[in-house]
Amino acid sequence: NEQDRLVPTQLAAAAFGGARVVMVGAGGIHNVAVTRYGALWAWGYGDRGQLGLDDRDNRLAPTLVAWGAGGNASFCATCGFQLSRQANFCSNCGGAVPKATYFEEDQAESEPEQLARYMQGSKEALIKAYGGPPPYALMAACSDYHTLVVTREGAAWSCGEGANSKLGHNDDLDDKLTFTRIEAQHFDHAKIVAAAAGTEHSAALTEHGALYTWGNCRNPSRWHEESDEESDEESDEES
């Protein structure tokens, strides 16, 4: 609901399909959470597409984000046929489109198998619908109007308001209503392990400690020049 809380109030596990939440991010007007097996949930204001749910609607409760290679399109878990987002039944095989719930399964299963079980379909149908195994969210960060996600494979994804190039897609105006992968070449193909979202800028950290920043800054080129100058001074002192 939209009632304010004066003290911390626990969200029921049922809000996340019974899964254990292992990471949460709080933005200015929306929130994200990652569950044990890498499922991504979002709720709050969505007017700039920052929830990644392929619309600009608000969500009063955590909503499972179906994202990755297959985007946010609904699909039949039985045959993998892509459907409209509002579909309740598959126009290809007549099967019912399952509701978005997420339940923890045996850890011995692979992630695609776990996700296929909660979708009540086969691993092969799920992979067909996504165009590959669904991405496994490692962590997420959000600000006022955009959201970043890092996957276990080391990729960075973003959605929401595109102003000031804070989404990292080499544009300045386009909002992204679904999560879009930031091209690996922008990080020299390094594996990303963490990300942070500011009001008008973003940052990502690689597994080897390299820090990348993008978005609005009063003088971003000068900031990087000063960083380079400091590094040179430190090298001179060491030598």
PDB file of all heavy atoms in Angstrom, residues 13 22 25 29-30 43 59 67 83 96 127 130-131 144 148 151 162 167 170 174 206 226 228-229:
ATOM      1  N   ALA A  13       7.724 -12.959   3.154  1.00  0.00           N
ATOM      2  CA  ALA A  13       8.465 -13.735   2.155  1.00  0.00           C
ATOM      3  C   ALA A  13       7.614 -14.013   0.931  1.00  0.00           C
ATOM      4  O   ALA A  13       8.126 -14.133  -0.186  1.00  0.00           O
ATOM      5  CB  ALA A  13       8.934 -15.052   2.777  1.00  0.00           C
ATOM      6  N   VAL A  22      18.628 -11.772  -0.836  1.00  0.00           N
ATOM      7  CA  VAL A  22      20.032 -11.696  -0.434  1.00  0.00           C
ATOM      8  C   VAL A  22      20.648 -10.324  -0.687  1.00  0.00           C
ATOM      9  O   VAL A  22      21.742 -10.033  -0.232  1.00  0.00           O
ATOM     10  CB  VAL A  22      20.874 -12.770  -1.161  1.00  0.00           C
ATOM     11  CG1 VAL A  22      20.423 -14.163  -0.765  1.00  0.00           C
ATOM     12  CG2 VAL A  22      20.785 -12.593  -2.672  1.00  0.00           C
ATOM     13  N   GLY A  25      18.287  -2.855  -2.964  1.00  0.00           N
ATOM     14  CA  GLY A  25      18.735  -1.509  -3.282  1.00  0.00           C
ATOM     15  C   GLY A  25      17.584  -0.541  -3.159  1.00  0.00           C
ATOM     16  O   GLY A  25      16.458  -0.847  -3.577  1.00  0.00           O
ATOM     17  N   ILE A  29      12.831   6.808  -5.439  1.00  0.00           N
ATOM     18  CA  ILE A  29      11.397   6.544  -5.486  1.00  0.00           C
ATOM     19  C   ILE A  29      11.071   5.110  -5.920  1.00  0.00           C
ATOM     20  O   ILE A  29       9.930   4.796  -6.239  1.00  0.00           O
ATOM     21  CB  ILE A  29      10.689   7.541  -6.424  1.00  0.00           C
ATOM     22  CG1 ILE A  29      11.387   7.603  -7.775  1.00  0.00           C
ATOM     23  CG2 ILE A  29      10.611   8.918  -5.787  1.00  0.00           C
ATOM     24  CD1 ILE A  29      10.735   8.547  -8.776  1.00  0.00           C
ATOM     25  N   HIS A  30      12.073   4.232  -5.942  1.00  0.00           N
ATOM     26  CA  HIS A  30      11.776   2.831  -6.241  1.00  0.00           C
ATOM     27  C   HIS A  30      12.820   1.943  -5.577  1.00  0.00           C
ATOM     28  O   HIS A  30      13.839   2.427  -5.066  1.00  0.00           O
ATOM     29  CB  HIS A  30      11.726   2.584  -7.752  1.00  0.00           C
ATOM     30  CG  HIS A  30      13.050   2.603  -8.443  1.00  0.00           C
ATOM     31  ND1 HIS A  30      13.816   3.754  -8.587  1.00  0.00           N
ATOM     32  CD2 HIS A  30      13.769   1.615  -9.061  1.00  0.00           C
ATOM     33  CE1 HIS A  30      14.924   3.478  -9.252  1.00  0.00           C
ATOM     34  NE2 HIS A  30      14.928   2.183  -9.545  1.00  0.00           N
ATOM     35  N   TRP A  43       9.926  -2.572  -7.438  1.00  0.00           N
ATOM     36  CA  TRP A  43       8.656  -1.953  -7.086  1.00  0.00           C
ATOM     37  C   TRP A  43       8.866  -0.474  -6.774  1.00  0.00           C
ATOM     38  O   TRP A  43       9.981  -0.023  -6.556  1.00  0.00           O
ATOM     39  CB  TRP A  43       7.991  -2.675  -5.933  1.00  0.00           C
ATOM     40  CG  TRP A  43       8.674  -2.601  -4.590  1.00  0.00           C
ATOM     41  CD1 TRP A  43       8.334  -1.815  -3.528  1.00  0.00           C
ATOM     42  CD2 TRP A  43       9.810  -3.385  -4.143  1.00  0.00           C
ATOM     43  NE1 TRP A  43       9.174  -2.048  -2.460  1.00  0.00           N
ATOM     44  CE2 TRP A  43      10.075  -3.003  -2.799  1.00  0.00           C
ATOM     45  CE3 TRP A  43      10.609  -4.358  -4.743  1.00  0.00           C
ATOM     46  CZ2 TRP A  43      11.128  -3.558  -2.068  1.00  0.00           C
ATOM     47  CZ3 TRP A  43      11.651  -4.902  -4.015  1.00  0.00           C
ATOM     48  CH2 TRP A  43      11.906  -4.506  -2.689  1.00  0.00           C
ATOM     49  N   ARG A  59       4.395   0.308  -9.250  1.00  0.00           N
ATOM     50  CA  ARG A  59       4.081  -0.970  -8.633  1.00  0.00           C
ATOM     51  C   ARG A  59       4.085  -0.796  -7.116  1.00  0.00           C
ATOM     52  O   ARG A  59       5.063  -0.327  -6.540  1.00  0.00           O
ATOM     53  CB  ARG A  59       5.109  -2.049  -9.013  1.00  0.00           C
ATOM     54  CG  ARG A  59       5.204  -2.353 -10.503  1.00  0.00           C
ATOM     55  CD  ARG A  59       3.917  -2.921 -11.071  1.00  0.00           C
ATOM     56  NE  ARG A  59       4.080  -3.565 -12.354  1.00  0.00           N
ATOM     57  CZ  ARG A  59       4.210  -2.932 -13.519  1.00  0.00           C
ATOM     58  NH1 ARG A  59       4.224  -1.611 -13.552  1.00  0.00           N
ATOM     59  NH2 ARG A  59       4.329  -3.609 -14.653  1.00  0.00           N
ATOM     60  N   TRP A  67      13.726 -10.571 -17.599  1.00  0.00           N
ATOM     61  CA  TRP A  67      14.632  -9.723 -18.360  1.00  0.00           C
ATOM     62  C   TRP A  67      15.721 -10.553 -18.996  1.00  0.00           C
ATOM     63  O   TRP A  67      15.838 -11.750 -18.722  1.00  0.00           O
ATOM     64  CB  TRP A  67      15.250  -8.658 -17.450  1.00  0.00           C
ATOM     65  CG  TRP A  67      16.072  -9.225 -16.327  1.00  0.00           C
ATOM     66  CD1 TRP A  67      15.608  -9.964 -15.278  1.00  0.00           C
ATOM     67  CD2 TRP A  67      17.475  -9.124 -16.161  1.00  0.00           C
ATOM     68  NE1 TRP A  67      16.653 -10.312 -14.458  1.00  0.00           N
ATOM     69  CE2 TRP A  67      17.806  -9.804 -14.971  1.00  0.00           C
ATOM     70  CE3 TRP A  67      18.478  -8.489 -16.885  1.00  0.00           C
ATOM     71  CZ2 TRP A  67      19.112  -9.891 -14.497  1.00  0.00           C
ATOM     72  CZ3 TRP A  67      19.783  -8.572 -16.410  1.00  0.00           C
ATOM     73  CH2 TRP A  67      20.081  -9.265 -15.219  1.00  0.00           C
ATOM     74  N   LEU A  83       4.450 -14.404 -26.591  1.00  0.00           N
ATOM     75  CA  LEU A  83       3.080 -13.909 -26.562  1.00  0.00           C
ATOM     76  C   LEU A  83       3.058 -12.423 -26.234  1.00  0.00           C
ATOM     77  O   LEU A  83       4.074 -11.844 -25.862  1.00  0.00           O
ATOM     78  CB  LEU A  83       2.267 -14.666 -25.499  1.00  0.00           C
ATOM     79  CG  LEU A  83       2.346 -16.194 -25.552  1.00  0.00           C
ATOM     80  CD1 LEU A  83       1.737 -16.782 -24.294  1.00  0.00           C
ATOM     81  CD2 LEU A  83       1.634 -16.713 -26.789  1.00  0.00           C
ATOM     82  N   ALA A  96      -1.756 -22.487 -20.566  1.00  0.00           N
ATOM     83  CA  ALA A  96      -1.931 -21.301 -19.730  1.00  0.00           C
ATOM     84  C   ALA A  96      -0.584 -20.644 -19.458  1.00  0.00           C
ATOM     85  O   ALA A  96       0.425 -21.320 -19.267  1.00  0.00           O
ATOM     86  CB  ALA A  96      -2.607 -21.674 -18.413  1.00  0.00           C
ATOM     87  N   ILE A 127      14.718 -21.793 -22.157  1.00  0.00           N
ATOM     88  CA  ILE A 127      15.877 -21.317 -22.906  1.00  0.00           C
ATOM     89  C   ILE A 127      15.453 -20.867 -24.303  1.00  0.00           C
ATOM     90  O   ILE A 127      15.936 -19.851 -24.817  1.00  0.00           O
ATOM     91  CB  ILE A 127      16.954 -22.402 -22.986  1.00  0.00           C
ATOM     92  CG1 ILE A 127      17.579 -22.605 -21.595  1.00  0.00           C
ATOM     93  CG2 ILE A 127      18.016 -22.044 -24.007  1.00  0.00           C
ATOM     94  CD1 ILE A 127      18.626 -23.687 -21.551  1.00  0.00           C
ATOM     95  N   TYR A 130      13.857 -17.398 -23.985  1.00  0.00           N
ATOM     96  CA  TYR A 130      14.803 -16.339 -23.674  1.00  0.00           C
ATOM     97  C   TYR A 130      15.877 -16.179 -24.737  1.00  0.00           C
ATOM     98  O   TYR A 130      16.593 -15.186 -24.754  1.00  0.00           O
ATOM     99  CB  TYR A 130      15.492 -16.601 -22.329  1.00  0.00           C
ATOM    100  CG  TYR A 130      14.782 -16.012 -21.140  1.00  0.00           C
ATOM    101  CD1 TYR A 130      13.783 -16.705 -20.495  1.00  0.00           C
ATOM    102  CD2 TYR A 130      15.116 -14.745 -20.660  1.00  0.00           C
ATOM    103  CE1 TYR A 130      13.125 -16.170 -19.406  1.00  0.00           C
ATOM    104  CE2 TYR A 130      14.469 -14.201 -19.569  1.00  0.00           C
ATOM    105  CZ  TYR A 130      13.473 -14.916 -18.942  1.00  0.00           C
ATOM    106  OH  TYR A 130      12.830 -14.377 -17.873  1.00  0.00           O
ATOM    107  N   GLY A 131      16.037 -17.159 -25.595  1.00  0.00           N
ATOM    108  CA  GLY A 131      17.127 -17.110 -26.557  1.00  0.00           C
ATOM    109  C   GLY A 131      18.433 -17.545 -25.928  1.00  0.00           C
ATOM    110  O   GLY A 131      19.513 -17.344 -26.462  1.00  0.00           O
ATOM    111  N   ASP A 144      17.270   7.807  -8.540  1.00  0.00           N
ATOM    112  CA  ASP A 144      15.919   8.327  -8.684  1.00  0.00           C
ATOM    113  C   ASP A 144      15.191   7.717  -9.874  1.00  0.00           C
ATOM    114  O   ASP A 144      14.059   7.262  -9.744  1.00  0.00           O
ATOM    115  CB  ASP A 144      15.958   9.852  -8.850  1.00  0.00           C
ATOM    116  CG  ASP A 144      16.419  10.547  -7.579  1.00  0.00           C
ATOM    117  OD1 ASP A 144      16.428   9.903  -6.518  1.00  0.00           O
ATOM    118  OD2 ASP A 144      16.785  11.731  -7.660  1.00  0.00           O
ATOM    119  N   LEU A 148      20.635  -0.156 -12.271  1.00  0.00           N
ATOM    120  CA  LEU A 148      21.730  -0.949 -12.830  1.00  0.00           C
ATOM    121  C   LEU A 148      21.690  -2.345 -12.224  1.00  0.00           C
ATOM    122  O   LEU A 148      21.372  -2.502 -11.043  1.00  0.00           O
ATOM    123  CB  LEU A 148      23.084  -0.308 -12.512  1.00  0.00           C
ATOM    124  CG  LEU A 148      23.316   1.131 -12.979  1.00  0.00           C
ATOM    125  CD1 LEU A 148      24.652   1.633 -12.434  1.00  0.00           C
ATOM    126  CD2 LEU A 148      23.290   1.225 -14.492  1.00  0.00           C
ATOM    127  N   THR A 151      25.286  -9.033 -13.497  1.00  0.00           N
ATOM    128  CA  THR A 151      25.006 -10.459 -13.511  1.00  0.00           C
ATOM    129  C   THR A 151      26.212 -11.255 -13.023  1.00  0.00           C
ATOM    130  O   THR A 151      27.335 -10.749 -12.974  1.00  0.00           O
ATOM    131  CB  THR A 151      24.645 -10.951 -14.926  1.00  0.00           C
ATOM    132  OG1 THR A 151      25.801 -10.843 -15.768  1.00  0.00           O
ATOM    133  CG2 THR A 151      23.510 -10.134 -15.499  1.00  0.00           C
ATOM    134  N   GLY A 162      17.189   8.022 -19.650  1.00  0.00           N
ATOM    135  CA  GLY A 162      18.458   8.044 -20.372  1.00  0.00           C
ATOM    136  C   GLY A 162      19.154   9.385 -20.399  1.00  0.00           C
ATOM    137  O   GLY A 162      20.252   9.484 -20.946  1.00  0.00           O
ATOM    138  N   LEU A 167      22.788   5.847 -18.559  1.00  0.00           N
ATOM    139  CA  LEU A 167      22.534   4.423 -18.766  1.00  0.00           C
ATOM    140  C   LEU A 167      23.720   3.715 -19.411  1.00  0.00           C
ATOM    141  O   LEU A 167      23.793   2.493 -19.408  1.00  0.00           O
ATOM    142  CB  LEU A 167      21.277   4.217 -19.618  1.00  0.00           C
ATOM    143  CG  LEU A 167      19.969   4.726 -19.020  1.00  0.00           C
ATOM    144  CD1 LEU A 167      18.805   4.370 -19.942  1.00  0.00           C
ATOM    145  CD2 LEU A 167      19.731   4.163 -17.621  1.00  0.00           C
ATOM    146  N   ASN A 170      25.681   5.107 -24.881  1.00  0.00           N
ATOM    147  CA  ASN A 170      26.194   6.037 -25.879  1.00  0.00           C
ATOM    148  C   ASN A 170      25.085   6.877 -26.509  1.00  0.00           C
ATOM    149  O   ASN A 170      25.111   7.186 -27.702  1.00  0.00           O
ATOM    150  CB  ASN A 170      26.963   5.290 -26.976  1.00  0.00           C
ATOM    151  CG  ASN A 170      27.872   6.214 -27.781  1.00  0.00           C
ATOM    152  OD1 ASN A 170      28.329   7.237 -27.278  1.00  0.00           O
ATOM    153  ND2 ASN A 170      28.128   5.848 -29.029  1.00  0.00           N
ATOM    154  N   ASP A 174      17.303   8.800 -24.847  1.00  0.00           N
ATOM    155  CA  ASP A 174      16.349   7.695 -24.876  1.00  0.00           C
ATOM    156  C   ASP A 174      16.212   6.991 -23.527  1.00  0.00           C
ATOM    157  O   ASP A 174      17.202   6.533 -22.950  1.00  0.00           O
ATOM    158  CB  ASP A 174      16.768   6.664 -25.926  1.00  0.00           C
ATOM    159  CG  ASP A 174      16.735   7.229 -27.337  1.00  0.00           C
ATOM    160  OD1 ASP A 174      15.992   8.204 -27.553  1.00  0.00           O
ATOM    161  OD2 ASP A 174      17.442   6.688 -28.205  1.00  0.00           O
ATOM    162  N   THR A 206      35.403  -3.390 -11.964  1.00  0.00           N
ATOM    163  CA  THR A 206      35.760  -4.678 -12.539  1.00  0.00           C
ATOM    164  C   THR A 206      36.410  -5.576 -11.485  1.00  0.00           C
ATOM    165  O   THR A 206      36.795  -5.126 -10.409  1.00  0.00           O
ATOM    166  CB  THR A 206      36.728  -4.519 -13.721  1.00  0.00           C
ATOM    167  OG1 THR A 206      38.027  -4.158 -13.219  1.00  0.00           O
ATOM    168  CG2 THR A 206      36.239  -3.458 -14.694  1.00  0.00           C
ATOM    169  N   GLU A 226      42.687  14.954 -13.995  1.00  0.00           N
ATOM    170  CA  GLU A 226      43.277  15.109 -12.676  1.00  0.00           C
ATOM    171  C   GLU A 226      43.652  13.765 -12.093  1.00  0.00           C
ATOM    172  O   GLU A 226      44.684  13.611 -11.448  1.00  0.00           O
ATOM    173  CB  GLU A 226      42.307  15.842 -11.754  1.00  0.00           C
ATOM    174  CG  GLU A 226      42.112  17.314 -12.127  1.00  0.00           C
ATOM    175  CD  GLU A 226      41.069  17.982 -11.263  1.00  0.00           C
ATOM    176  OE1 GLU A 226      40.392  17.246 -10.522  1.00  0.00           O
ATOM    177  OE2 GLU A 226      40.930  19.202 -11.327  1.00  0.00           O
ATOM    178  N   ASP A 228      44.521  11.122 -13.794  1.00  0.00           N
ATOM    179  CA  ASP A 228      45.722  10.656 -14.496  1.00  0.00           C
ATOM    180  C   ASP A 228      46.966  11.373 -13.975  1.00  0.00           C
ATOM    181  O   ASP A 228      48.021  10.773 -13.793  1.00  0.00           O
ATOM    182  CB  ASP A 228      45.582  10.901 -16.002  1.00  0.00           C
ATOM    183  CG  ASP A 228      44.504  10.035 -16.622  1.00  0.00           C
ATOM    184  OD1 ASP A 228      44.174   9.009 -15.996  1.00  0.00           O
ATOM    185  OD2 ASP A 228      43.989  10.383 -17.701  1.00  0.00           O
ATOM    186  N   GLU A 229      46.816  12.704 -13.724  1.00  0.00           N
ATOM    187  CA  GLU A 229      47.941  13.469 -13.214  1.00  0.00           C
ATOM    188  C   GLU A 229      48.373  12.977 -11.841  1.00  0.00           C
ATOM    189  O   GLU A 229      49.561  12.847 -11.542  1.00  0.00           O
ATOM    190  CB  GLU A 229      47.561  14.951 -13.148  1.00  0.00           C
ATOM    191  CG  GLU A 229      47.403  15.595 -14.524  1.00  0.00           C
ATOM    192  CD  GLU A 229      46.828  16.995 -14.430  1.00  0.00           C
ATOM    193  OE1 GLU A 229      46.589  17.438 -13.278  1.00  0.00           O
ATOM    194  OE2 GLU A 229      46.618  17.639 -15.472  1.00  0.00           O
TER     195      GLU A 229
END
